[in-house]
Amino acid sequence: VQTTDEVTTDPVDRLRVLVADDHPTNRRIVEMMLESVADVTTAEDGVEAVEAAGRETFDVILMDIQMPRMDGITAVARIRDAARAAGRGHVPVIMLTANTQPEHVEAARLAGADRHLGKPFTLALLFNEIQALLADAPARTPLGRHANA
């Protein structure tokens, strides 16, 4: 698990984002997309994602489906179970995946994912999805200032 600490916005406004994807290039692309608005923690698989979610507090989790050791759907379900058991609040989860068939979307939803975004996706689409999920917490949504970036 690695964290980027590049600060280009007010640190108070920066989002804390967990990105779980087994492909290093995919993780790096999302890191670069979010570097101006978020502190990104990465996980290489579902096991690392579950561990990170139990250790740290995130504003949003971006999760791939197909990963070694533990897939994203299982990881989301375990993250949701652990949060309920610990009495923690709901952290929005967006599945970022090439698996966009209706059965994949439904399985992710049943596991506790909030949104499903197919790869490849644009920066604007990713920001819009995150912003929509965080709309109830305006103090934590600096993305509005960067939606046209």
Side-chain angles (χ1 to χ4, degrees):
V1 178
Q2 299 175 340
T3 302
T4 59
D5 293 317
E6 299 156 353
V7 177
T8 57
T9 61
D10 183 346
V12 174
D13 289 341
R14 291 179 67 77
L15 295 172
R16 294 170 312 253
V17 179
L18 173 61
V19 176
D21 195 306
D22 61 316
H23 197 285
T25 301
N26 292 343
R27 287 192 309 272
R28 185 64 189 131
I29 288 169
V30 175
E31 280 183 288
M32 290 187 311
M33 288 177 144
L34 297 177
E35 67 188 358
S36 68
V37 297
D39 293 322
V40 177
T41 298
T42 60
E44 294 183 12
D45 57 40
V47 172
E48 286 187 9
V50 171
E51 290 170 354
R55 225 182 18 251
E56 300 176 47
T57 302
F58 296 100
D59 296 303
V60 67
I61 297 171
L62 307 177
M63 183 82 66
D64 188 20
I65 287 182
Q66 289 186 312
M67 296 183 287
R69 295 201 306 160
M70 182 188 297
D71 65 84
I73 291 172
T74 302
V76 170
R78 292 201 181 162
I79 288 168
R80 293 292 187 229
D81 289 345
R84 274 190 294 277
R88 292 192 308 264
H90 182 84
V91 175
V93 174
I94 301 172
M95 304 307 285
L96 298 181
T97 180
N99 298 332
T100 58
Q101 295 298 315
E103 60 270 19
H104 300 133
V105 175
E106 181 64 8
R109 186 190 67 75
L110 290 172
D114 299 283
R115 301 281 174 116
H116 203 101
L117 192 55
K119 293 177 184 173
F121 50 86
T122 64
L123 175 64
L125 186 56
L126 179 60
F127 277 10
N128 288 341
E129 290 293 319
I130 293 171
Q131 192 166 15
L133 285 172
L134 300 178
D136 293 334
R140 296 298 306 152
T141 55
L143 298 179
R145 295 192 300 260
H146 305 282
N148 297 325

